[in-house]
Protein backbone atom coordinates (compact mmCIF):
# COMPACT_ATOMS: atom_id res chain seq x y z
CA UNK A 1 0.00 0.00 0.00
CA UNK A 2 1.38 3.40 -0.88
CA UNK A 3 0.64 6.65 0.89
CA UNK A 4 -0.10 8.17 -2.49
CA UNK A 5 -2.58 11.01 -2.02
CA UNK A 6 -3.47 12.87 -5.21
CA UNK A 7 -5.03 16.29 -4.97
CA UNK A 8 -8.71 16.69 -5.63
CA UNK A 9 -8.63 17.83 -9.26
CA UNK A 10 -9.91 21.34 -9.75
CA UNK A 11 -10.78 21.91 -13.36
CA UNK A 12 -8.75 24.73 -14.80
CA UNK A 13 -10.02 26.64 -17.78
CA UNK A 14 -7.32 24.84 -19.74
CA UNK A 15 -4.15 26.51 -20.93
CA UNK A 16 -4.28 26.76 -24.71
CA UNK A 17 -1.91 24.12 -26.01
CA UNK A 18 -1.64 21.87 -29.01
CA UNK A 19 -4.73 19.96 -27.95
CA UNK A 20 -6.91 23.03 -27.55
CA UNK A 21 -10.10 22.71 -29.47
CA UNK A 22 -9.87 18.95 -29.95
CA UNK A 23 -13.33 17.64 -29.20
CA UNK A 24 -13.78 14.36 -27.31
CA UNK A 25 -16.81 12.26 -26.56
CA UNK A 26 -16.93 9.48 -23.94
CA UNK A 27 -19.41 6.60 -24.11
CA UNK A 28 -19.79 4.54 -20.97
CA UNK A 29 -20.72 0.84 -20.83
CA UNK A 30 -20.85 -1.50 -17.83
CA UNK A 31 -21.06 -0.69 -14.16
CA UNK A 32 -21.02 2.43 -11.98
CA UNK A 33 -17.26 2.11 -11.55
CA UNK A 34 -17.01 2.94 -15.24
CA UNK A 35 -19.37 5.90 -14.83
CA UNK A 36 -17.00 7.29 -12.19
CA UNK A 37 -13.92 6.50 -14.29
CA UNK A 38 -15.43 8.24 -17.33
CA UNK A 39 -15.73 11.34 -15.19
CA UNK A 40 -12.08 11.02 -14.22
CA UNK A 41 -11.09 10.57 -17.89
CA UNK A 42 -13.09 13.66 -18.85
CA UNK A 43 -11.44 15.58 -16.01
CA UNK A 44 -7.91 14.71 -17.21
CA UNK A 45 -8.73 15.73 -20.78
CA UNK A 46 -10.57 18.96 -19.90
CA UNK A 47 -7.63 19.94 -17.77
CA UNK A 48 -5.41 19.64 -20.83
CA UNK A 49 -7.59 21.87 -22.97
CA UNK A 50 -9.64 19.26 -24.78
CA UNK A 51 -13.31 20.10 -25.27
CA UNK A 52 -16.06 17.68 -24.27
CA UNK A 53 -18.96 17.16 -26.67
CA UNK A 54 -22.16 15.21 -26.14
CA UNK A 55 -22.63 14.40 -29.81
CA UNK A 56 -20.30 11.70 -31.20
CA UNK A 57 -20.89 12.98 -34.76
CA UNK A 58 -18.95 16.17 -34.10
CA UNK A 59 -16.18 14.56 -32.01
CA UNK A 60 -12.53 14.34 -33.11
CA UNK A 61 -11.97 11.59 -30.55
CA UNK A 62 -14.45 8.95 -29.37
CA UNK A 63 -13.55 7.02 -26.23
CA UNK A 64 -15.49 3.88 -25.37
CA UNK A 65 -15.27 2.96 -21.69
CA UNK A 66 -16.07 -0.72 -21.86
CA UNK A 67 -17.23 -3.78 -19.93
CA UNK A 68 -16.17 -7.46 -20.23
CA UNK A 69 -18.49 -9.03 -17.68
CA UNK A 70 -20.50 -10.97 -20.26
CA UNK A 71 -19.89 -11.74 -23.93
CA UNK A 72 -22.92 -9.67 -24.89
CA UNK A 73 -21.38 -6.54 -23.31
CA UNK A 74 -18.25 -6.97 -25.44
CA UNK A 75 -20.17 -7.67 -28.63
CA UNK A 76 -22.07 -4.41 -28.20
CA UNK A 77 -18.81 -2.45 -28.11
CA UNK A 78 -17.29 -4.33 -31.04
CA UNK A 79 -20.27 -3.48 -33.21
CA UNK A 80 -20.12 0.14 -32.04
CA UNK A 81 -16.48 0.27 -33.12
CA UNK A 82 -17.51 -1.15 -36.52
CA UNK A 83 -20.17 1.54 -36.83
CA UNK A 84 -17.74 4.38 -36.06
CA UNK A 85 -15.20 2.97 -38.51
CA UNK A 86 -17.80 2.81 -41.25
CA UNK A 87 -18.67 6.49 -40.74
CA UNK A 88 -14.96 7.32 -40.82
CA UNK A 89 -14.46 5.35 -44.04
CA UNK A 90 -17.38 7.14 -45.71
CA UNK A 91 -15.88 10.49 -44.71
CA UNK A 92 -12.44 9.36 -45.86
CA UNK A 93 -10.84 11.00 -42.84
CA UNK A 94 -8.67 9.60 -40.03
CA UNK A 95 -11.05 11.21 -37.51
CA UNK A 96 -12.61 10.46 -35.19
CA UNK A 97 -9.73 8.80 -33.39
CA UNK A 98 -11.20 5.74 -31.63
CA UNK A 99 -10.02 4.78 -28.15
CA UNK A 100 -11.06 1.85 -26.00
CA UNK A 101 -10.79 2.24 -22.23
CA UNK A 102 -12.04 0.07 -19.37
CA UNK A 103 -12.29 -3.67 -18.86
CA UNK A 104 -12.12 -4.72 -22.53
CA UNK A 105 -8.95 -2.67 -22.96
CA UNK A 106 -7.43 -4.57 -20.07
CA UNK A 107 -8.64 -7.98 -21.22
CA UNK A 108 -7.90 -7.71 -24.93
CA UNK A 109 -5.07 -5.16 -25.01
CA UNK A 110 -3.24 -4.78 -28.31
CA UNK A 111 -5.61 -7.22 -30.08
CA UNK A 112 -8.10 -4.38 -30.22
CA UNK A 113 -5.83 -2.41 -32.53
CA UNK A 114 -5.73 -5.15 -35.18
CA UNK A 115 -7.96 -6.03 -38.07
CA UNK A 116 -10.84 -4.24 -39.76
CA UNK A 117 -12.26 -3.19 -36.39
CA UNK A 118 -8.88 -2.05 -35.09
CA UNK A 119 -8.87 1.05 -32.89
CA UNK A 120 -6.20 3.75 -32.47
CA UNK A 121 -5.80 3.74 -28.72
CA UNK A 122 -6.23 1.17 -25.93
CA UNK A 123 -5.98 2.43 -22.36
CA UNK A 124 -6.53 0.10 -19.40
CA UNK A 125 -8.29 0.90 -16.13
CA UNK A 126 -5.13 1.92 -14.24
CA UNK A 127 -3.67 4.09 -17.02
CA UNK A 128 -6.08 6.99 -17.39
CA UNK A 129 -3.55 9.45 -16.05
CA UNK A 130 -1.48 8.77 -19.20
CA UNK A 131 -4.42 9.23 -21.54
CA UNK A 132 -3.92 12.93 -22.40
CA UNK A 133 -0.30 12.28 -23.42
CA UNK A 134 -1.17 9.19 -25.44
CA UNK A 135 -3.93 11.05 -27.19
CA UNK A 136 -1.88 14.17 -27.84
CA UNK A 137 0.58 12.12 -29.86
CA UNK A 138 -2.28 10.91 -32.01
CA UNK A 139 -4.09 14.19 -32.59
CA UNK A 140 -1.48 16.94 -32.73
CA UNK A 141 0.07 15.69 -35.96
CA UNK A 142 3.62 15.85 -34.54
CA UNK A 143 4.12 12.16 -35.13
CA UNK A 144 2.92 9.70 -37.69
CA UNK A 145 -0.10 8.25 -35.95
CA UNK A 146 0.51 4.71 -34.77
CA UNK A 147 -1.91 2.92 -32.54
CA UNK A 148 -0.99 2.80 -28.92
CA UNK A 149 -1.72 0.46 -26.03
CA UNK A 150 -1.25 1.11 -22.31
CA UNK A 151 -2.51 -1.57 -19.94
CA UNK A 152 -1.45 -3.35 -16.75
CA UNK A 153 -2.17 -2.70 -13.10
CA UNK A 154 -0.44 -0.11 -11.00
CA UNK A 155 -0.58 0.55 -7.32
CA UNK A 156 -0.86 4.34 -7.58
CA UNK A 157 -3.95 4.35 -9.74
CA UNK A 158 -6.56 5.60 -7.30
CA UNK A 159 -8.52 8.19 -9.21
CA UNK A 160 -10.51 11.15 -8.03
CA UNK A 161 -13.14 12.22 -10.54
CA UNK A 162 -14.00 15.93 -10.47
CA UNK A 163 -17.47 16.00 -8.90
CA UNK A 164 -18.28 19.17 -10.84
CA UNK A 165 -18.88 16.94 -13.86
CA UNK A 166 -21.79 15.17 -12.17
CA UNK A 167 -25.30 16.59 -11.59
CA UNK A 168 -25.02 18.19 -8.17
CA UNK A 169 -28.20 16.92 -6.61
CA UNK A 170 -27.95 13.32 -7.67
CA UNK A 171 -26.07 10.78 -5.62
CA UNK A 172 -22.40 11.56 -6.19
CA UNK A 173 -20.34 8.48 -6.93
CA UNK A 174 -17.19 8.04 -4.87
CA UNK A 175 -15.02 5.02 -5.66
CA UNK A 176 -13.45 3.83 -2.39
CA UNK A 177 -11.33 1.06 -3.83
CA UNK A 178 -10.42 -0.53 -7.09
CA UNK A 179 -10.02 -4.20 -8.08
CA UNK A 180 -11.22 -7.36 -6.40
CA UNK A 181 -9.47 -10.07 -4.36
CA UNK A 182 -12.31 -12.57 -4.51
CA UNK A 183 -12.06 -15.20 -7.17
CA UNK A 184 -15.65 -16.07 -8.02
CA UNK A 185 -15.07 -18.74 -10.64
CA UNK A 186 -17.30 -17.20 -13.33
CA UNK A 187 -15.98 -13.66 -13.06
CA UNK A 188 -13.59 -11.70 -15.28
CA UNK A 189 -13.42 -8.65 -12.98
CA UNK A 190 -10.38 -9.74 -10.91
CA UNK A 191 -8.49 -10.07 -14.22
CA UNK A 192 -9.65 -6.77 -15.69
CA UNK A 193 -9.56 -4.61 -12.55
CA UNK A 194 -6.62 -6.27 -10.80
CA UNK A 195 -6.11 -6.80 -7.09
CA UNK A 196 -8.07 -4.82 -4.52
CA UNK A 197 -6.40 -1.50 -3.71
CA UNK A 198 -7.96 0.88 -1.21
CA UNK A 199 -8.31 4.61 -1.46
CA UNK A 200 -6.89 6.39 1.58
CA UNK A 201 -9.77 7.24 3.97
CA UNK A 202 -8.36 10.76 4.27
CA UNK A 203 -8.68 11.20 0.50
CA UNK A 204 -12.23 9.78 0.56
CA UNK A 205 -13.16 12.28 3.27
CA UNK A 206 -11.64 15.19 1.33
CA UNK A 207 -13.44 14.11 -1.80
CA UNK A 208 -16.80 13.99 0.00
CA UNK A 209 -16.17 17.32 1.75
CA UNK A 210 -15.51 18.81 -1.67
CA UNK A 211 -18.78 17.33 -3.00
CA UNK A 212 -20.66 18.92 -0.08
CA UNK A 213 -18.91 22.25 -0.70
CA UNK A 214 -20.20 22.37 -4.28
CA UNK A 215 -23.76 21.57 -3.16
CA UNK A 216 -23.95 17.75 -3.15
CA UNK A 217 -25.82 16.13 -0.28
CA UNK A 218 -25.68 12.44 -1.06
CA UNK A 219 -22.89 10.02 -1.99
CA UNK A 220 -22.79 6.45 -3.25
CA UNK A 221 -19.62 4.67 -2.16
CA UNK A 222 -18.46 2.40 -4.94
CA UNK A 223 -16.38 -0.72 -5.27
CA UNK A 224 -16.70 -4.32 -6.42
CA UNK A 225 -16.72 -5.26 -2.74
CA UNK A 226 -17.11 -2.18 -0.61
CA UNK A 227 -17.84 -4.37 2.41
CA UNK A 228 -14.27 -5.75 2.16
CA UNK A 229 -12.76 -2.25 2.56
CA UNK A 230 -9.84 -2.24 4.98
CA UNK A 231 -7.26 0.43 5.74
CA UNK A 232 -5.12 -0.65 8.71
CA UNK A 233 -7.61 -1.14 11.54
CA UNK A 234 -10.38 0.70 9.71
CA UNK A 235 -12.98 -1.60 8.18
CA UNK A 236 -16.05 -0.66 6.14
CA UNK A 237 -18.18 -0.13 9.27
CA UNK A 238 -15.51 2.28 10.56
CA UNK A 239 -15.30 4.06 7.23
CA UNK A 240 -19.09 4.55 7.21
CA UNK A 241 -18.98 5.93 10.75
CA UNK A 242 -16.24 8.42 9.87
CA UNK A 243 -17.99 9.58 6.68
CA UNK A 244 -21.19 9.91 8.70
CA UNK A 245 -19.49 12.70 10.64
CA UNK A 246 -19.05 14.95 7.58
CA UNK A 247 -21.13 18.08 8.10
CA UNK A 248 -23.64 18.87 5.38
CA UNK A 249 -23.72 15.32 4.00
CA UNK A 250 -27.23 13.93 4.30
CA UNK A 251 -27.27 10.46 2.80
CA UNK A 252 -24.79 7.65 2.17
CA UNK A 253 -25.46 4.69 -0.14
CA UNK A 254 -23.02 1.97 -1.18
CA UNK A 255 -22.55 -0.62 -3.93
CA UNK A 256 -21.78 -3.56 -4.00
CA UNK A 257 -21.69 -5.54 -0.78
CA UNK A 258 -20.57 -9.16 -0.61
CA UNK A 259 -22.71 -11.43 1.58
CA UNK A 260 -19.64 -13.01 3.20
CA UNK A 261 -18.50 -9.61 4.57
CA UNK A 262 -21.92 -8.62 5.92
CA UNK A 263 -21.00 -9.17 9.56
CA UNK A 264 -23.48 -8.36 12.34
CA UNK A 265 -21.37 -5.42 13.56
CA UNK A 266 -21.55 -3.87 10.07
CA UNK A 267 -25.33 -4.29 9.92
CA UNK A 268 -25.63 -2.90 13.46
CA UNK A 269 -23.66 0.14 12.30
CA UNK A 270 -25.82 0.63 9.20
CA UNK A 271 -28.90 0.45 11.43
CA UNK A 272 -27.47 2.98 13.89
CA UNK A 273 -26.10 5.57 11.46
CA UNK A 274 -29.09 7.53 10.26
CA UNK A 275 -27.38 8.98 7.18
CA UNK A 276 -26.71 5.46 5.85
CA UNK A 277 -29.61 4.46 3.61
CA UNK A 278 -31.36 1.20 4.49
CA UNK A 279 -30.89 -0.53 1.16
CA UNK A 280 -28.62 -3.54 0.67
CA UNK A 281 -27.66 -4.68 -2.82
CA UNK A 282 -26.33 -8.13 -1.94
CA UNK A 283 -25.80 -10.41 -4.94
CA UNK A 284 -26.53 -14.02 -4.02
CA UNK A 285 -26.05 -15.43 -7.59
CA UNK A 286 -27.66 -18.81 -6.79
CA UNK A 287 -29.81 -20.42 -4.10
CA UNK A 288 -28.16 -23.82 -4.43
CA UNK A 289 -25.28 -24.61 -2.06
CA UNK A 290 -23.77 -26.96 -4.63
CA UNK A 291 -23.64 -24.16 -7.21
CA UNK A 292 -22.49 -21.53 -4.69
CA UNK A 293 -19.59 -23.78 -3.78
CA UNK A 294 -18.58 -24.18 -7.41
CA UNK A 295 -18.87 -20.43 -7.89
CA UNK A 296 -16.59 -20.00 -4.80
CA UNK A 297 -18.93 -17.50 -3.18
CA UNK A 298 -17.96 -18.46 0.42
CA UNK A 299 -21.49 -18.56 1.89
CA UNK A 300 -24.40 -20.95 1.96
CA UNK A 301 -28.03 -20.27 1.24
CA UNK A 302 -28.77 -20.62 4.99
CA UNK A 303 -26.12 -18.02 5.86
CA UNK A 304 -27.56 -15.63 3.30
CA UNK A 305 -31.10 -16.06 4.63
CA UNK A 306 -29.83 -15.60 8.20
CA UNK A 307 -28.11 -12.36 7.34
CA UNK A 308 -31.24 -11.05 5.62
CA UNK A 309 -33.23 -11.89 8.78
CA UNK A 310 -30.61 -10.17 10.98
CA UNK A 311 -30.57 -7.06 8.77
CA UNK A 312 -34.36 -6.86 8.97
CA UNK A 313 -34.10 -6.86 12.78
CA UNK A 314 -31.45 -4.15 13.12
CA UNK A 315 -31.95 -1.88 10.06
CA UNK A 316 -35.35 -0.18 10.10
CA UNK A 317 -37.17 -0.25 6.73
CA UNK A 318 -34.33 -2.14 5.02
CA UNK A 319 -34.90 -3.37 1.47
CA UNK A 320 -32.81 -5.80 -0.56
CA UNK A 321 -31.82 -6.21 -4.17
CA UNK A 322 -29.67 -8.92 -5.72
CA UNK A 323 -27.96 -10.37 -8.80
CA UNK A 324 -28.58 -13.91 -10.08
CA UNK A 325 -26.81 -16.04 -12.66
CA UNK A 326 -28.86 -18.83 -14.26
CA UNK A 327 -27.35 -21.72 -16.17
CA UNK A 328 -23.98 -21.87 -14.39
CA UNK A 329 -22.14 -25.07 -15.52
CA UNK A 330 -23.80 -28.13 -14.04
CA UNK A 331 -26.88 -26.24 -12.76
CA UNK A 332 -29.72 -28.81 -12.54
CA UNK A 333 -33.44 -28.21 -12.42
CA UNK A 334 -33.26 -28.84 -8.65
CA UNK A 335 -30.48 -26.22 -8.27
CA UNK A 336 -32.55 -23.73 -10.21
CA UNK A 337 -35.66 -24.45 -8.12
CA UNK A 338 -33.59 -23.76 -5.01
CA UNK A 339 -32.76 -20.35 -6.48
CA UNK A 340 -36.42 -19.54 -7.11
CA UNK A 341 -37.14 -20.57 -3.50
CA UNK A 342 -34.64 -17.95 -2.31
CA UNK A 343 -36.34 -15.32 -4.44
CA UNK A 344 -39.60 -16.25 -2.74
CA UNK A 345 -38.09 -16.40 0.75
CA UNK A 346 -36.26 -13.06 0.73
CA UNK A 347 -38.83 -10.85 -1.02
CA UNK A 348 -36.36 -8.64 -2.85
CA UNK A 349 -37.36 -5.21 -4.08
CA UNK A 350 -35.45 -5.81 -7.29
CA UNK A 351 -33.43 -8.58 -8.87
CA UNK A 352 -30.95 -8.42 -11.76
CA UNK A 353 -30.80 -11.71 -13.63
CA UNK A 354 -28.19 -12.92 -16.11
CA UNK A 355 -27.63 -15.97 -18.24
CA UNK A 356 -24.22 -17.50 -17.49
CA UNK A 357 -21.70 -16.31 -20.06
CA UNK A 358 -18.39 -18.13 -20.20
CA UNK A 359 -15.45 -15.73 -19.98
CA UNK A 360 -12.03 -16.68 -21.34
CA UNK A 361 -9.45 -17.69 -18.78
CA UNK A 362 -11.67 -17.60 -15.69
CA UNK A 363 -11.65 -20.75 -13.47
CA UNK A 364 -15.20 -21.77 -14.54
CA UNK A 365 -14.10 -21.83 -18.18
CA UNK A 366 -12.59 -25.25 -17.36
CA UNK A 367 -16.10 -26.54 -16.66
CA UNK A 368 -18.33 -27.48 -19.57
CA UNK A 369 -20.86 -24.72 -20.33
CA UNK A 370 -23.43 -27.51 -20.41
CA UNK A 371 -26.78 -25.84 -19.75
CA UNK A 372 -28.33 -25.47 -23.23
CA UNK A 373 -29.09 -21.93 -24.38
CA UNK A 374 -32.83 -22.69 -24.55
CA UNK A 375 -32.81 -23.88 -20.92
CA UNK A 376 -30.92 -20.76 -19.78
CA UNK A 377 -33.51 -18.67 -21.56
CA UNK A 378 -36.39 -20.53 -20.00
CA UNK A 379 -34.87 -20.30 -16.48
CA UNK A 380 -34.28 -16.59 -16.91
CA UNK A 381 -37.94 -16.10 -17.85
CA UNK A 382 -39.08 -18.28 -14.95
CA UNK A 383 -37.09 -16.43 -12.30
CA UNK A 384 -38.23 -13.06 -13.64
CA UNK A 385 -41.86 -14.21 -13.63
CA UNK A 386 -41.50 -15.40 -10.01
CA UNK A 387 -40.10 -12.03 -8.97
CA UNK A 388 -42.80 -10.13 -10.83
CA UNK A 389 -45.51 -11.98 -8.92
CA UNK A 390 -43.82 -11.43 -5.56
CA UNK A 391 -43.11 -7.79 -6.27
CA UNK A 392 -46.71 -7.08 -7.26
CA UNK A 393 -47.83 -8.34 -3.84
CA UNK A 394 -45.19 -6.25 -2.02
CA UNK A 395 -45.97 -3.13 -4.05
CA UNK A 396 -49.77 -3.50 -3.68
CA UNK A 397 -49.21 -3.61 0.07
CA UNK A 398 -47.43 -0.22 -0.08
CA UNK A 399 -50.47 1.69 -1.35
CA UNK A 400 -51.65 4.13 1.31
CA UNK A 401 -48.25 4.28 3.08
CA UNK A 402 -46.45 7.55 3.63
CA UNK A 403 -42.74 7.71 2.80
CA UNK A 404 -40.04 10.34 3.10
CA UNK A 405 -38.30 10.78 -0.23
CA UNK A 406 -35.80 13.10 -1.92
CA UNK A 407 -36.59 14.88 -5.18
CA UNK A 408 -34.05 13.57 -7.69
CA UNK A 409 -35.05 14.92 -11.09
CA UNK A 410 -38.04 15.90 -13.24
CA UNK A 411 -39.98 12.81 -14.31
CA UNK A 412 -40.47 12.20 -18.02
CA UNK A 413 -44.20 11.62 -17.54
CA UNK A 414 -46.64 13.03 -16.52
CA UNK A 415 -45.44 16.49 -17.42
CA UNK A 416 -44.55 18.68 -14.46
CA UNK A 417 -44.02 15.74 -12.06
CA UNK A 418 -40.87 14.72 -10.16
CA UNK A 419 -38.98 11.52 -9.61
CA UNK A 420 -38.28 11.04 -5.92
CA UNK A 421 -36.23 8.31 -4.20
CA UNK A 422 -36.67 6.94 -0.71
CA UNK A 423 -33.76 6.02 1.55
CA UNK A 424 -34.50 2.35 0.87
CA UNK A 425 -34.21 3.02 -2.85
CA UNK A 426 -37.81 3.05 -4.00
CA UNK A 427 -38.72 5.39 -6.85
CA UNK A 428 -41.85 7.50 -6.60
CA UNK A 429 -43.35 9.78 -9.25
CA UNK A 430 -45.30 12.67 -7.77
CA UNK A 431 -46.59 15.98 -9.05
CA UNK A 432 -45.99 19.08 -7.01
CA UNK A 433 -45.28 22.55 -8.34
CA UNK A 434 -43.77 23.57 -4.99
CA UNK A 435 -40.86 21.13 -5.11
CA UNK A 436 -37.27 21.52 -6.30
CA UNK A 437 -34.44 19.05 -6.86
CA UNK A 438 -32.87 18.08 -3.52
CA UNK A 439 -36.01 18.74 -1.43
CA UNK A 440 -37.21 16.09 0.98
CA UNK A 441 -40.97 15.47 0.89
CA UNK A 442 -43.51 13.10 2.38
CA UNK A 443 -45.39 11.22 -0.33
CA UNK A 444 -48.50 9.11 0.04
CA UNK A 445 -48.39 6.07 -2.24
CA UNK A 446 -51.35 5.78 -4.59
CA UNK A 447 -50.26 3.05 -7.01
CA UNK A 448 -47.36 1.46 -8.89
CA UNK A 449 -46.19 0.16 -12.21
CA UNK A 450 -43.37 -2.41 -12.02
CA UNK A 451 -40.77 -0.94 -9.64
CA UNK A 452 -41.99 2.66 -9.94
CA UNK A 453 -44.52 3.97 -7.45
CA UNK A 454 -46.93 6.87 -7.90
CA UNK A 455 -47.78 9.16 -5.06
CA UNK A 456 -49.06 12.53 -3.98
CA UNK A 457 -47.08 14.94 -1.88
CA UNK A 458 -48.52 14.96 1.62
CA UNK A 459 -46.35 17.74 3.07
N1 LIG B 1 -18.76 -7.37 -7.40
C1 LIG B 1 -20.11 -7.63 -7.55
C2 LIG B 1 -20.64 -7.64 -8.97
C3 LIG B 1 -19.78 -8.03 -10.11
S1 LIG B 1 -20.36 -8.03 -11.76
C4 LIG B 1 -20.40 -8.90 -6.80
O1 LIG B 1 -19.54 -9.51 -6.27
O2 LIG B 1 -21.54 -9.30 -6.73
C5 LIG B 1 -22.11 -7.80 -11.68
C6 LIG B 1 -22.91 -9.05 -11.86
O3 LIG B 1 -22.69 -9.63 -13.13
C7 LIG B 1 -22.60 -10.16 -10.89
O4 LIG B 1 -23.19 -9.98 -9.65
C8 LIG B 1 -23.11 -11.39 -11.61
O5 LIG B 1 -24.46 -11.63 -11.30
C9 LIG B 1 -22.99 -11.00 -13.07
N2 LIG B 1 -21.92 -11.76 -13.73
C10 LIG B 1 -20.59 -11.71 -13.47
N3 LIG B 1 -19.92 -12.57 -14.26
C11 LIG B 1 -20.85 -13.20 -15.06
C12 LIG B 1 -20.79 -14.18 -16.07
N4 LIG B 1 -19.64 -14.73 -16.44
N5 LIG B 1 -21.95 -14.54 -16.66
C13 LIG B 1 -23.12 -14.00 -16.31
N6 LIG B 1 -23.24 -13.06 -15.35
C14 LIG B 1 -22.12 -12.66 -14.71
FE1 LIG C 1 -16.47 -10.77 -9.51
FE2 LIG C 1 -16.82 -12.11 -7.28
FE3 LIG C 1 -15.17 -10.02 -7.32
FE4 LIG C 1 -17.79 -9.66 -7.50
S1 LIG C 1 -16.72 -10.54 -5.73
S2 LIG C 1 -16.21 -8.67 -8.77
S3 LIG C 1 -18.45 -11.41 -8.68
S4 LIG C 1 -14.87 -11.95 -8.38
FE1 LIG D 1 -17.98 -4.59 -16.41
FE2 LIG D 1 -15.58 -4.03 -15.60
FE3 LIG D 1 -17.67 -3.12 -14.27
S1 LIG D 1 -16.23 -5.96 -16.43
S2 LIG D 1 -19.16 -4.73 -14.58
S3 LIG D 1 -17.10 -2.57 -16.31
S4 LIG D 1 -15.74 -3.79 -13.41
Amino acid sequence: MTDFLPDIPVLSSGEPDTTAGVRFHVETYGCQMNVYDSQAIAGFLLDRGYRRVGDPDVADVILLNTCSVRDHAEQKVLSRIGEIRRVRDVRGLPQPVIGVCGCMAERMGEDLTRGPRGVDLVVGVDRYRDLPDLLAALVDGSETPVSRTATGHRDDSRLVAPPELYPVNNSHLVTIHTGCDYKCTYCIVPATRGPQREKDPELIAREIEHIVRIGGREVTLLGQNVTAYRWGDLDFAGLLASIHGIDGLERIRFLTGHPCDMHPHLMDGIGRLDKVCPWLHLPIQSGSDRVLKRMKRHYTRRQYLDLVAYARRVIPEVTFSSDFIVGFPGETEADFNATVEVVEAVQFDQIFTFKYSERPGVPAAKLADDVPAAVKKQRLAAIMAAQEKIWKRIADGCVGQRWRAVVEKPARRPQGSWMLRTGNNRKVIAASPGLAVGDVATVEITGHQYTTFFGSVAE
Side-chain angles (χ1 to χ4, degrees):
M1 198 65 60
T2 69
D3 55 2
F4 172 79
L5 205 60
D7 281 332
I8 307 282
V10 175
L11 294 180
S12 63
S13 53
E15 285 298 301
D17 62 16
T18 49
T19 59
V22 174
R23 295 158 297 184
F24 72 96
H25 172 76
V26 190
E27 291 173 20
T28 308
Y29 301 80
C31 66
Q32 307 270 68
M33 314 243 357
N34 269 6
V35 175
Y36 184 84
D37 288 354
S38 287
Q39 235 170 286
I41 290 169
F44 288 135
L45 293 176
L46 289 167
D47 206 36
R48 284 280 287 268
Y50 289 84
R51 277 206 294 143
R52 190 180 195 174
V53 290
D55 178 0
D57 285 344
V58 300
D60 306 303
V61 178
I62 298 181
L63 298 171
L64 307 175
N65 195 6
T66 62
C67 174
S68 291
V69 81
R70 283 170 289 278
D71 182 57
H72 179 69
E74 294 195 340
Q75 293 307 327
K76 226 165 46 183
V77 169
L78 293 176
S79 63
R80 179 71 182 125
I81 293 169
E83 192 178 89
I84 302 169
R85 287 209 45 159
R86 272 195 299 281
V87 171
R88 200 160 82 168
D89 291 347
V90 169
R91 286 184 193 162
L93 291 171
Q95 270 88 31
V97 166
I98 310 170
V100 172
C101 307
C103 289
M104 274 174 83
E106 211 59 62
R107 192 183 83 69
M108 296 168 77
E110 207 152 47
D111 284 353
L112 283 163
T113 63
R114 300 197 182 105
R117 284 175 172 173
V119 300
D120 310 295
L121 186 64
V122 176
V123 186
V125 297
D126 285 349
R127 301 286 168 146
Y128 298 146
R129 235 172 264 287
D130 304 335
L131 204 139
D133 284 336
L134 291 162
L135 204 51
L138 284 173
V139 297
D140 71 1
S142 64
E143 292 176 39
T144 314
V146 282
S147 54
R148 277 143 216 278
T149 303
T151 54
H153 299 294
R154 285 203 307 222
D155 195 41
D156 66 347
S157 65
R158 283 169 283 303
L159 298 174
V160 178
E164 290 84 353
L165 298 179
Y166 209 64
V168 149
N169 282 296
N170 285 7
S171 204
H172 275 275
L173 304 177
V174 177
T175 295
I176 64 166
H177 60 195
T178 181
C180 180
D181 282 345
Y182 289 81
K183 298 273 180 291
C184 305
T185 54
Y186 50 82
C187 186
I188 195 79
V189 172
T192 60
R193 293 269 163 183
Q196 184 176 317
R197 285 143 297 156
E198 317 293 15
K199 205 185 252 182
D200 187 328
E202 209 181 298
L203 178 60
I204 297 170
R206 276 171 39 201
E207 190 171 340
I208 297 175
E209 284 159 5
H210 183 62
I211 288 168
V212 171
R213 243 189 332 270
I214 63 164
R217 300 183 217 181
E218 177 180 319
V219 292
T220 299
L221 307 179
L222 280 186
Q224 287 302 344
N225 271 309
V226 285
T227 45
Y229 182 88
R230 182 161 283 280
W231 182 273
D233 291 336
L234 189 77
D235 63 5
F236 186 61
L239 181 73
L240 282 177
S242 72
I243 292 172
H244 195 265
I246 295 177
D247 279 344
L249 182 68
E250 293 173 12
R251 287 171 303 281
I252 305 165
R253 301 181 194 271
F254 58 87
L255 276 175
T256 298
H258 194 298
C260 77
D261 303 311
M262 267 288 161
H263 305 297
H265 92 278
L266 172 57
M267 294 189 269
D268 292 344
I270 295 168
R272 234 186 355 254
L273 299 168
D274 54 1
K275 291 182 186 176
V276 179
C277 293
W279 162 49
L280 300 179
H281 179 65
L282 280 183
I284 181 170
Q285 314 297 1
S286 168
S288 154
D289 285 344
R290 209 177 66 92
V291 175
L292 286 172
K293 203 163 187 176
R294 299 201 310 153
M295 288 177 163
K296 285 219 166 68
R297 288 291 289 181
H298 308 300
Y299 52 83
T300 61
R301 156 210 181 95
R302 182 74 263 151
Q303 283 166 332
Y304 188 92
L305 293 175
D306 286 349
L307 86 81
V308 166
Y310 188 87
R312 287 208 159 106
R313 274 205 303 281
V314 300
I315 309 174
E317 295 174 7
V318 69
T319 57
F320 298 88
S321 55
S322 195
D323 295 348
F324 289 85
I325 297 175
V326 298
F328 184 77
E331 186 189 69
T332 62
E333 206 58 32
D335 292 322
F336 175 68
N337 291 339
T339 300
V340 176
E341 274 169 35
V342 165
V343 171
E344 280 158 2
V346 175
Q347 309 263 300
F348 295 100
D349 258 38
Q350 227 177 339
I351 64 169
F352 301 90
T353 49
F354 309 104
K355 286 186 272 188
Y356 172 70
S357 164
E358 185 178 292
R359 308 312 295 129
V362 303
K366 293 201 189 80
L367 308 170
D369 185 3
D370 56 0
V371 179
V375 175
K376 284 182 185 165
K377 193 172 162 193
Q378 173 243 320
R379 288 181 186 168
L380 193 75
I383 192 172
M384 284 161 70
Q387 170 64 11
E388 207 173 303
K389 218 162 99 195
I390 292 161
W391 174 247
K392 187 173 178 327
R393 213 170 42 233
I394 299 173
D396 283 348
C398 295
V399 173
Q401 292 183 2
R402 287 184 163 209
W403 296 342
R404 298 288 284 166
V406 188
V407 179
E408 205 166 275
K409 58 182 179 192
R412 253 175 291 164
R413 272 172 294 144
Q415 247 207 339
S417 59
W418 296 100
M419 204 279 271
L420 297 92
R421 195 182 291 275
T422 63
N424 58 13
N425 206 39
R426 289 176 170 169
K427 282 187 286 184
V428 187
I429 307 282
S432 176
L435 292 178
V437 171
D439 285 352
V440 179
T442 299
V443 282
E444 184 167 320
I445 302 306
T446 53
H448 67 90
Q449 190 175 28
Y450 304 110
T451 52
T452 302
F453 290 92
F454 301 100
S456 56
V457 176
E459 54 184 74

